[in-house]
Amino acid sequence: MPVKNRFAELQQDITAWRRDIHENPEILFETHRTSALVAEKLRAFGCDEVTEGIGRTGVVGVIKGKSDTSGKVIGLRADMDALPIHEQTGVAYASKTDGAMHACGHDGHTAMLLGAAQYLSETRNFDGTVVVIFQPAEEGGGGGKEMCDDGMMDRWGIQEVYGMHNWPGVPVGSFAIRPGAFFAATDQFEITLEGKGGHAAKPQETVDTTVMASQLVLSLQTISSRNADPVDPVVVSVTSFETSSKAFNVIPQRVHLKGTVRTQSKEMRALAEERIKAICAGVAATFGGTADVTYHLGYPVMVNSEEQTAFAEDVARSISGQCDEAPIVMGGEDFAYMLEARPGAYILVGNGETAPVHHPEYNFNDEAIPAGCSWWAEIVEQRMPA
């Protein structure tokens, strides 16, 4: 089954929706305009039920098939939020909001799921129920968790859930997926080192927090090189180094560090936190200072279910003839919360040779729309055949 002809017919409309969303980006849970647009279109398509305000600003639509002898309920999820980035694409439909842009393609995800919802509402060529999920705040806000915490899975009886993300560097119209751990857990840490400030000409009278912090930044890298199993990935990155002094001749009393930890297993996630705290205490004690560590647990590891991944891969191959094994991704994805709640799978659809996501020159490739929409529709029609 190649790309569905109906999506070739709808591509111009879906592209127009996508570009309208692109022009009007909204960050985190502030997706009021986007959510209203989604709800309006779902009602116009004839969805059996449209509910707003799930997970604050999320939207859920229900589409019933021609029959329901299977009793199956499948969820399809797209994210709606943008990023706090100043756009530099130069396209005619560039962001009208300074400091906000769709730099990750969520405008494309939303538009493709809307296209699939229109087709499924028109044809209803399946036996069961589809729940289309439009989620806010994927980019650090945990909107997926909020929708689950609002009781979404139980309220609509969702049994399986599927997600999709565009991927630069993968040919347009092709797919990639992997079973098991896929996207990383994303945790954060803050470290405050306290020493004894003083004049830079008299270092012997101080406890130098700059030297202490410099040693700590290097020591934290031993978690990956000496504590971790080499086949269980972990990334520890210190991304901010601030001292309490702005003068050239003052050794600061205090240094504040920030960073992130990325892991692919619960075991490594726990080990990384344990070792960061232990290394901080040890390095601070060595220099005669103290270390206060605050550790923030972020998104969990996103784990694709074996059975649903195999099915999603077969569907992708039926559309494009190609579905490669995706690499492990050390970025985070809060679809992880939905996959913790229900079995399912997350797939990558090719965006072609474009700028990477989270880059000010990134732009979703509208040529990917027919393939993405077809995958959504085929997930439903093949999983719940009429």
Coordinates of all heavy atoms in Angstrom, one line a residue, residues 198-291:
G198 N 38.7 35.8 48.2 CA 39.8 36.7 48.6 C 40.5 37.3 47.4 O 40.0 37.2 46.3
H199 N 41.6 37.9 47.7 CA 42.3 38.6 46.7 C 43.1 37.6 45.8 O 43.7 36.7 46.4 CB 43.3 39.6 47.3 CG 43.8 40.7 46.4 ND1 44.6 40.4 45.3 CD2 43.6 42.0 46.4 CE1 44.9 41.5 44.7 NE2 44.3 42.5 45.3
A200 N 43.1 37.8 44.5 CA 43.8 36.9 43.6 C 45.3 36.9 43.8 O 46.0 35.9 43.5 CB 43.5 37.2 42.2
A201 N 45.8 37.9 44.5 CA 47.3 37.9 44.7 C 47.6 37.1 46.0 O 48.8 36.9 46.2 CB 47.7 39.4 44.9
K202 N 46.6 36.7 46.7 CA 46.9 35.9 48.0 C 46.1 34.6 47.9 O 45.2 34.4 48.8 CB 46.6 36.7 49.2 CG 47.4 38.0 49.4 CD 47.0 38.7 50.6 CE 47.9 40.0 50.8 NZ 47.6 40.7 52.0
P203 N 46.3 33.7 46.9 CA 45.5 32.5 46.8 C 45.6 31.6 48.0 O 44.7 30.8 48.3 CB 46.0 31.8 45.6 CG 47.4 32.4 45.4 CD 47.3 33.8 45.9
Q204 N 46.7 31.7 48.8 CA 46.9 30.8 49.9 C 45.9 31.1 51.0 O 45.7 30.3 51.9 CB 48.3 30.9 50.4 CG 48.7 32.2 51.2 CD 49.0 33.4 50.3 OE1 48.8 33.3 49.1 NE2 49.4 34.5 50.9
E205 N 45.3 32.3 51.0 CA 44.3 32.7 52.0 C 42.9 32.3 51.6 O 42.0 32.7 52.3 CB 44.5 34.2 52.3 CG 45.8 34.6 52.9 CD 45.9 36.1 53.1 OE1 44.9 36.8 52.9 OE2 47.0 36.5 53.6
T206 N 42.7 31.7 50.5 CA 41.4 31.4 50.0 C 41.2 29.9 49.9 O 42.1 29.1 50.0 CB 41.2 32.1 48.6 OG1 41.9 31.3 47.6 CG2 41.6 33.5 48.6
V207 N 39.9 29.6 49.6 CA 39.5 28.2 49.1 C 38.9 28.5 47.7 O 37.8 29.0 47.6 CB 38.5 27.5 50.0 CG1 38.1 26.2 49.4 CG2 39.1 27.3 51.4
D208 N 39.7 28.3 46.7 CA 39.5 28.7 45.4 C 38.4 27.9 44.7 O 38.6 26.8 44.3 CB 40.7 28.7 44.5 CG 40.6 29.5 43.2 OD1 39.5 29.6 42.7 OD2 41.6 29.9 42.7
T209 N 37.2 28.4 44.6 CA 36.1 27.7 44.0 C 36.2 27.6 42.5 O 35.6 26.7 41.9 CB 34.7 28.4 44.3 OG1 34.8 29.8 44.0 CG2 34.4 28.2 45.8
T210 N 36.9 28.5 41.9 CA 37.1 28.4 40.4 C 37.9 27.1 40.1 O 37.6 26.3 39.2 CB 37.8 29.6 39.8 OG1 37.0 30.8 40.2 CG2 37.9 29.5 38.3
V211 N 39.0 26.9 40.8 CA 39.8 25.7 40.6 C 39.0 24.4 41.0 O 39.0 23.4 40.3 CB 41.1 25.8 41.5 CG1 41.9 24.5 41.4 CG2 42.0 26.9 41.0
M212 N 38.3 24.6 42.1 CA 37.4 23.4 42.6 C 36.4 23.1 41.5 O 36.2 21.9 41.1 CB 36.7 23.9 43.8 CG 36.0 22.7 44.6 SD 34.9 23.4 45.9 CE 35.9 24.5 46.8
A213 N 35.8 24.1 40.9 CA 34.7 23.8 39.9 C 35.4 23.3 38.6 O 34.8 22.4 38.0 CB 34.0 25.1 39.6
S214 N 36.5 23.8 38.3 CA 37.2 23.3 37.1 C 37.6 21.8 37.2 O 37.4 21.0 36.3 CB 38.5 24.1 36.8 OG 38.2 25.5 36.6
Q215 N 38.1 21.4 38.4 CA 38.4 20.0 38.6 C 37.1 19.2 38.6 O 37.1 18.1 38.1 CB 39.0 19.9 40.0 CG 39.4 18.5 40.3 CD 40.5 17.9 39.4 OE1 41.5 18.6 39.2 NE2 40.3 16.7 38.9
L216 N 36.0 19.7 39.1 CA 34.7 19.0 39.1 C 34.2 18.7 37.7 O 33.7 17.6 37.5 CB 33.7 19.8 40.0 CG 32.3 19.2 40.1 CD1 32.4 17.8 40.7 CD2 31.4 20.1 40.9
V217 N 34.3 19.7 36.9 CA 33.8 19.6 35.5 C 34.5 18.4 34.8 O 33.9 17.5 34.2 CB 34.0 20.9 34.7 CG1 33.7 20.6 33.2 CG2 33.1 22.0 35.2
L218 N 35.8 18.3 35.0 CA 36.6 17.2 34.4 C 36.2 15.9 35.1 O 36.1 14.8 34.5 CB 38.1 17.5 34.5 CG 38.5 18.7 33.7 CD1 40.0 19.0 34.0 CD2 38.3 18.5 32.2
S219 N 36.1 15.9 36.4 CA 35.9 14.7 37.2 C 34.5 14.1 36.8 O 34.4 12.8 36.8 CB 35.9 15.0 38.7 OG 37.2 15.4 39.1
L220 N 33.5 14.9 36.5 CA 32.2 14.4 36.2 C 32.3 13.5 34.9 O 31.4 12.7 34.7 CB 31.2 15.5 36.1 CG 30.8 16.2 37.4 CD1 29.9 17.4 37.1 CD2 30.1 15.2 38.3
Q221 N 33.3 13.8 34.1 CA 33.4 13.0 32.8 C 33.8 11.6 33.1 O 33.6 10.7 32.2 CB 34.3 13.7 31.8 CG 33.9 15.1 31.4 CD 32.4 15.2 31.0 OE1 32.0 14.4 30.1 NE2 31.7 16.0 31.6
T222 N 34.3 11.3 34.3 CA 34.7 9.9 34.6 C 33.5 9.0 34.8 O 33.6 7.8 34.8 CB 35.6 9.8 35.8 OG1 34.9 10.3 37.0 CG2 36.8 10.7 35.6
I223 N 32.3 9.6 35.0 CA 31.1 8.8 35.1 C 30.9 8.0 33.8 O 30.7 6.8 33.8 CB 29.8 9.6 35.4 CG1 30.0 10.3 36.7 CG2 28.6 8.8 35.3 CD1 28.9 11.4 37.0
S224 N 31.1 8.6 32.7 CA 31.0 8.0 31.4 C 32.2 7.1 31.1 O 32.0 5.9 30.6 CB 30.8 9.0 30.3 OG 30.8 8.4 29.0
S225 N 33.4 7.6 31.4 CA 34.6 6.8 31.0 C 35.0 5.7 31.9 O 35.7 4.8 31.5 CB 35.7 7.8 30.8 OG 36.1 8.4 32.1
R226 N 34.5 5.8 33.2 CA 35.0 4.8 34.2 C 34.0 4.2 35.1 O 34.2 3.1 35.7 CB 36.1 5.5 35.1 CG 37.4 5.7 34.4 CD 38.0 4.4 34.0 NE 39.3 4.6 33.2 CZ 39.3 4.7 31.9 NH1 38.2 4.6 31.1 NH2 40.4 4.8 31.2
N227 N 32.8 4.8 35.2 CA 31.7 4.2 36.0 C 30.7 3.4 35.2 O 30.1 2.5 35.7 CB 31.0 5.2 36.8 CG 32.0 6.0 37.8 OD1 31.9 7.2 37.9 ND2 32.8 5.2 38.4
A228 N 30.5 3.9 34.0 CA 29.4 3.3 33.1 C 29.8 2.1 32.3 O 31.0 2.0 31.9 CB 28.9 4.4 32.2
D229 N 28.9 1.2 32.2 CA 29.1 0.1 31.2 C 29.2 0.7 29.8 O 28.3 1.5 29.4 CB 27.9 -0.9 31.3 CG 28.1 -2.1 30.4 OD1 28.8 -2.0 29.4 OD2 27.5 -3.2 30.8
P230 N 30.3 0.4 29.1 CA 30.4 1.1 27.8 C 29.3 0.9 26.8 O 29.1 1.6 25.8 CB 31.7 0.5 27.2 CG 32.5 0.0 28.5 CD 31.4 -0.4 29.4
V231 N 28.5 -0.2 27.0 CA 27.4 -0.4 26.1 C 26.0 0.1 26.6 O 25.0 -0.1 26.0 CB 27.2 -1.9 25.8 CG1 28.5 -2.5 25.1 CG2 26.9 -2.7 27.0
D232 N 26.1 0.8 27.7 CA 24.9 1.5 28.3 C 25.1 3.0 28.3 O 25.8 3.5 29.2 CB 24.7 1.0 29.7 CG 23.3 1.4 30.3 OD1 22.6 2.1 29.6 OD2 23.0 0.9 31.4
P233 N 24.6 3.7 27.3 CA 25.0 5.1 27.1 C 24.7 6.0 28.2 O 23.6 5.9 28.9 CB 24.3 5.5 25.8 CG 23.9 4.2 25.2 CD 23.7 3.2 26.3
V234 N 25.6 7.0 28.5 CA 25.3 8.1 29.4 C 26.1 9.3 28.9 O 27.2 9.2 28.5 CB 25.7 7.7 30.9 CG1 27.2 7.3 30.9 CG2 25.4 8.9 31.8
V235 N 25.4 10.5 29.0 CA 26.1 11.7 28.7 C 25.9 12.7 29.9 O 24.8 12.9 30.3 CB 25.5 12.4 27.4 CG1 26.1 13.7 27.2 CG2 25.6 11.5 26.2
V236 N 27.0 13.2 30.4 CA 27.0 14.2 31.5 C 27.6 15.5 30.9 O 28.8 15.5 30.6 CB 27.7 13.7 32.7 CG1 27.7 14.8 33.8 CG2 27.2 12.4 33.2
S237 N 26.8 16.5 30.8 CA 27.3 17.8 30.3 C 27.1 18.9 31.2 O 26.0 19.2 31.6 CB 26.6 18.1 28.9 OG 26.9 17.1 28.0
V238 N 28.2 19.6 31.6 CA 28.1 20.8 32.3 C 27.9 22.0 31.3 O 28.8 22.1 30.4 CB 29.3 21.1 33.2 CG1 29.2 22.4 33.9 CG2 29.5 20.0 34.2
T239 N 26.8 22.7 31.4 CA 26.5 23.7 30.4 C 26.5 25.1 30.8 O 26.3 26.0 30.0 CB 25.1 23.3 29.8 OG1 24.1 23.3 30.9 CG2 25.1 22.0 29.1
S240 N 26.7 25.3 32.1 CA 26.8 26.7 32.6 C 27.8 26.7 33.8 O 27.8 25.9 34.7 CB 25.4 27.1 33.1 OG 25.4 28.4 33.7
F241 N 28.6 27.8 33.8 CA 29.7 27.9 34.8 C 29.7 29.4 35.2 O 30.1 30.3 34.4 CB 31.0 27.5 34.2 CG 32.2 27.4 35.2 CD1 32.9 26.2 35.3 CD2 32.6 28.5 36.0 CE1 34.0 26.1 36.1 CE2 33.7 28.4 36.8 CZ 34.4 27.2 36.9
E242 N 29.1 29.7 36.4 CA 29.0 31.1 36.8 C 29.7 31.3 38.2 O 29.4 30.5 39.1 CB 27.6 31.5 36.9 CG 26.8 31.5 35.6 CD 25.3 31.9 35.8 OE1 24.8 31.7 36.9 OE2 24.8 32.5 34.8
T243 N 30.5 32.4 38.3 CA 31.1 32.7 39.6 C 30.5 33.9 40.2 O 29.8 34.7 39.6 CB 32.6 33.0 39.4 OG1 32.8 34.3 38.9 CG2 33.3 31.9 38.5
S244 N 30.7 34.0 41.5 CA 30.1 35.2 42.2 C 30.9 36.5 42.1 O 30.5 37.5 42.7 CB 29.9 34.8 43.7 OG 31.2 34.5 44.3
S245 N 32.0 36.4 41.3 CA 32.8 37.6 41.2 C 32.9 38.0 39.7 O 32.9 37.2 38.8 CB 34.3 37.3 41.6 OG 35.1 38.3 41.3
K246 N 32.9 39.3 39.5 CA 33.0 39.9 38.1 C 34.4 40.6 38.0 O 34.7 41.1 36.9 CB 31.9 40.9 37.8 CG 30.5 40.3 38.0 CD 30.2 39.1 37.1 CE 28.8 38.6 37.3 NZ 28.6 37.3 36.5
A247 N 35.2 40.6 39.0 CA 36.4 41.4 39.0 C 37.6 40.5 38.5 O 37.5 39.2 38.7 CB 36.7 41.9 40.4
F248 N 38.6 41.1 38.0 CA 39.8 40.4 37.5 C 40.7 39.9 38.7 O 41.4 38.9 38.5 CB 40.6 41.2 36.6 CG 40.0 41.5 35.2 CD1 39.3 42.6 35.0 CD2 40.2 40.5 34.2 CE1 38.7 42.8 33.7 CE2 39.6 40.8 33.0 CZ 38.9 41.9 32.7
N249 N 40.6 40.6 39.8 CA 41.6 40.3 40.9 C 40.9 39.7 42.1 O 41.4 39.9 43.2 CB 42.3 41.5 41.2 CG 41.4 42.7 41.7 OD1 40.2 42.6 41.6 ND2 42.0 43.7 42.3
V250 N 39.7 39.1 42.0 CA 39.0 38.5 43.1 C 38.8 37.0 42.9 O 38.2 36.6 41.8 CB 37.7 39.2 43.3 CG1 36.9 38.5 44.5 CG2 37.9 40.7 43.7
I251 N 39.2 36.2 43.8 CA 38.8 34.8 43.8 C 37.4 34.6 44.4 O 37.2 35.1 45.5 CB 39.9 34.0 44.6 CG1 41.2 33.9 43.8 CG2 39.4 32.5 44.8 CD1 42.3 33.3 44.6
P252 N 36.5 34.1 43.6 CA 35.1 34.1 44.1 C 34.8 33.2 45.3 O 35.4 32.1 45.4 CB 34.3 33.6 42.8 CG 35.3 32.8 42.1 CD 36.7 33.5 42.3
Q253 N 33.9 33.6 46.1 CA 33.4 32.8 47.2 C 32.6 31.6 46.7 O 32.6 30.6 47.4 CB 32.6 33.7 48.1 CG 31.9 33.0 49.3 CD 32.8 32.9 50.5 OE1 33.9 33.5 50.5 NE2 32.4 32.1 51.5
R254 N 31.9 31.8 45.6 CA 30.9 30.8 45.2 C 31.0 30.6 43.7 O 31.2 31.5 42.9 CB 29.5 31.3 45.6 CG 28.4 30.4 45.5 CD 27.1 31.0 46.0 NE 27.3 31.3 47.4 CZ 27.4 32.6 47.9 NH1 27.4 33.6 47.0 NH2 27.5 32.8 49.2
V255 N 30.7 29.4 43.2 CA 30.6 29.0 41.8 C 29.3 28.2 41.7 O 29.0 27.3 42.5 CB 31.8 28.2 41.3 CG1 31.5 27.7 39.9 CG2 33.0 29.1 41.2
H256 N 28.5 28.5 40.6 CA 27.3 27.8 40.4 C 27.4 27.1 39.0 O 27.7 27.7 38.0 CB 26.1 28.8 40.4 CG 24.8 28.1 40.3 ND1 24.3 27.3 41.3 CD2 23.8 28.1 39.3 CE1 23.0 26.9 41.0 NE2 22.8 27.4 39.8
L257 N 27.2 25.8 39.0 CA 27.2 25.0 37.8 C 25.8 24.5 37.4 O 25.0 24.1 38.3 CB 28.2 23.8 37.9 CG 29.6 24.1 38.3 CD1 30.4 22.8 38.5 CD2 30.3 25.0 37.3
K258 N 25.5 24.3 36.2 CA 24.3 23.7 35.7 C 24.7 22.7 34.6 O 25.7 22.8 33.9 CB 23.3 24.7 35.1 CG 22.7 25.7 36.1 CD 21.7 26.6 35.4 CE 21.2 27.6 36.4 NZ 20.2 28.6 35.6
G259 N 23.8 21.7 34.5 CA 24.1 20.7 33.4 C 23.0 19.7 33.2 O 21.9 19.8 33.9
T260 N 23.2 18.8 32.3 CA 22.2 17.8 32.0 C 22.8 16.4 31.9 O 24.0 16.3 31.6 CB 21.5 18.1 30.6 OG1 20.5 17.2 30.4 CG2 22.5 18.1 29.5
V261 N 22.0 15.4 32.2 CA 22.4 14.0 32.2 C 21.4 13.3 31.2 O 20.2 13.4 31.4 CB 22.4 13.4 33.6 CG1 22.8 11.9 33.5 CG2 23.3 14.1 34.5
R262 N 22.0 12.5 30.3 CA 21.1 11.7 29.4 C 21.5 10.2 29.5 O 22.7 9.9 29.5 CB 21.4 12.2 27.9 CG 21.2 13.7 27.7 CD 19.8 14.1 28.1 NE 19.6 15.5 28.0 CZ 19.0 16.2 27.0 NH1 18.6 15.5 26.0 NH2 18.8 17.5 27.1
T263 N 20.5 9.4 29.7 CA 20.7 8.0 29.9 C 19.7 7.2 29.2 O 18.6 7.7 28.8 CB 20.7 7.6 31.4 OG1 19.4 8.1 32.0 CG2 21.9 8.2 32.2
Q264 N 20.0 5.9 29.0 CA 19.1 5.0 28.2 C 18.5 3.8 29.0 O 17.9 2.9 28.5 CB 19.8 4.4 27.0 CG 19.9 5.4 25.8 CD 18.7 5.5 25.0 OE1 18.0 4.5 24.8 NE2 18.4 6.6 24.4
S265 N 18.8 3.8 30.3 CA 18.3 2.8 31.2 C 18.0 3.3 32.6 O 18.7 4.3 33.0 CB 19.2 1.6 31.3 OG 20.4 1.9 32.0
K266 N 17.1 2.7 33.3 CA 16.8 3.1 34.7 C 18.0 2.9 35.6 O 18.3 3.7 36.5 CB 15.6 2.3 35.2 CG 14.3 2.6 34.6 CD 13.2 1.7 35.2 CE 11.9 2.1 34.5 NZ 10.8 1.2 35.1
E267 N 18.8 1.8 35.3 CA 20.0 1.5 36.1 C 21.0 2.6 36.0 O 21.6 3.1 37.0 CB 20.5 0.2 35.8 CG 19.6 -1.0 36.1 CD 18.5 -1.2 35.1 OE1 18.6 -0.6 34.0 OE2 17.5 -1.9 35.4
M268 N 21.3 3.0 34.7 CA 22.3 4.0 34.5 C 21.8 5.4 35.0 O 22.6 6.2 35.5 CB 22.7 4.1 33.0 CG 23.8 5.0 32.7 SD 25.3 4.6 33.6 CE 25.6 3.0 33.0
R269 N 20.5 5.6 34.9 CA 20.0 6.9 35.4 C 20.2 7.0 36.9 O 20.7 8.1 37.3 CB 18.5 6.9 35.1 CG 17.8 8.3 35.3 CD 16.3 8.2 35.0 NE 15.8 9.5 34.8 CZ 14.5 9.8 34.7 NH1 13.6 8.8 34.8 NH2 14.1 11.0 34.6
A270 N 20.0 6.0 37.6 CA 20.2 6.0 39.1 C 21.7 6.1 39.4 O 22.1 6.8 40.3 CB 19.7 4.7 39.7
L271 N 22.6 5.4 38.6 CA 24.0 5.4 38.9 C 24.5 6.8 38.6 O 25.4 7.3 39.4 CB 24.7 4.4 38.0 CG 26.3 4.5 38.0 CD1 26.7 4.0 39.4 CD2 26.9 3.6 36.9
A272 N 24.1 7.5 37.6 CA 24.6 8.8 37.2 C 24.3 9.8 38.3 O 25.2 10.6 38.8 CB 24.0 9.3 35.9
E273 N 23.1 9.8 38.9 CA 22.7 10.7 40.0 C 23.6 10.4 41.2 O 24.1 11.3 41.8 CB 21.2 10.5 40.3 CG 20.8 11.4 41.5 CD 19.3 11.3 41.8 OE1 18.6 10.5 41.2 OE2 18.9 12.0 42.8
E274 N 23.7 9.1 41.5 CA 24.5 8.7 42.7 C 26.0 9.2 42.6 O 26.6 9.8 43.5 CB 24.5 7.2 42.8 CG 25.4 6.7 43.9 CD 25.5 5.1 43.8 OE1 24.5 4.5 43.5 OE2 26.6 4.6 44.0
R275 N 26.6 9.0 41.4 CA 28.0 9.4 41.2 C 28.2 10.9 41.1 O 29.2 11.4 41.6 CB 28.5 8.7 39.9 CG 28.6 7.2 39.9 CD 29.5 6.8 41.0 NE 30.9 7.3 40.9 CZ 31.7 7.6 41.9 NH1 31.2 7.5 43.2 NH2 32.9 8.1 41.7
I276 N 27.3 11.6 40.6 CA 27.4 13.1 40.5 C 27.4 13.6 42.0 O 28.3 14.4 42.3 CB 26.2 13.7 39.7 CG1 26.5 13.5 38.2 CG2 26.1 15.2 40.0 CD1 25.3 14.0 37.4
K277 N 26.6 13.1 42.8 CA 26.5 13.6 44.2 C 27.8 13.2 44.9 O 28.4 14.0 45.7 CB 25.3 13.1 44.9 CG 24.0 13.7 44.3 CD 22.8 13.1 45.0 CE 21.5 13.7 44.5 NZ 20.3 13.2 45.1
A278 N 28.3 12.0 44.7 CA 29.5 11.5 45.4 C 30.7 12.3 44.9 O 31.6 12.7 45.7 CB 29.7 10.0 45.2
I279 N 30.8 12.5 43.6 CA 32.0 13.2 43.1 C 32.0 14.7 43.5 O 33.1 15.2 43.9 CB 32.0 13.1 41.5 CG1 32.3 11.7 41.1 CG2 33.0 14.1 40.9 CD1 32.1 11.4 39.6
C280 N 30.9 15.3 43.6 CA 30.8 16.7 44.0 C 31.3 16.8 45.5 O 32.1 17.7 45.8 CB 29.4 17.2 43.9 SG 28.8 17.6 42.2
A281 N 30.8 15.9 46.3 CA 31.2 15.9 47.7 C 32.7 15.6 47.9 O 33.4 16.3 48.7 CB 30.4 14.8 48.5
G282 N 33.2 14.7 47.1 CA 34.6 14.4 47.2 C 35.5 15.5 46.7 O 36.5 15.8 47.4
V283 N 35.2 16.1 45.6 CA 36.0 17.2 45.0 C 36.0 18.4 46.0 O 37.0 19.0 46.3 CB 35.6 17.5 43.6 CG1 36.3 18.8 43.2 CG2 35.9 16.4 42.6
A284 N 34.8 18.7 46.5 CA 34.7 19.9 47.4 C 35.5 19.6 48.6 O 36.2 20.6 49.1 CB 33.2 20.1 47.7
A285 N 35.4 18.4 49.2 CA 36.2 18.1 50.4 C 37.7 18.2 50.1 O 38.5 18.7 51.0 CB 35.8 16.8 50.9
T286 N 38.1 17.8 49.0 CA 39.5 17.8 48.7 C 40.1 19.2 48.7 O 41.2 19.4 49.1 CB 39.8 17.2 47.2 OG1 39.3 15.8 47.3 CG2 41.2 17.3 46.8
F287 N 39.3 20.2 48.2 CA 39.8 21.5 48.2 C 39.4 22.4 49.4 O 39.7 23.5 49.5 CB 39.2 22.2 46.9 CG 39.9 21.8 45.7 CD1 39.4 20.7 45.0 CD2 41.0 22.5 45.2 CE1 40.0 20.3 43.8 CE2 41.6 22.1 44.0 CZ 41.1 21.0 43.3
G288 N 38.7 21.7 50.4 CA 38.3 22.4 51.6 C 37.1 23.2 51.5 O 36.8 24.1 52.3
G289 N 36.2 22.9 50.5 CA 35.0 23.7 50.3 C 33.8 22.7 50.5 O 33.9 21.6 51.0
T290 N 32.6 23.2 50.1 CA 31.4 22.4 50.2 C 30.7 22.4 48.9 O 30.8 23.4 48.1 CB 30.5 22.9 51.3 OG1 30.1 24.3 51.0 CG2 31.1 22.9 52.7
A291 N 29.8 21.4 48.6 CA 29.0 21.3 47.4 C 27.6 21.0 47.8 O 27.3 20.1 48.5 CB 29.6 20.3 46.5

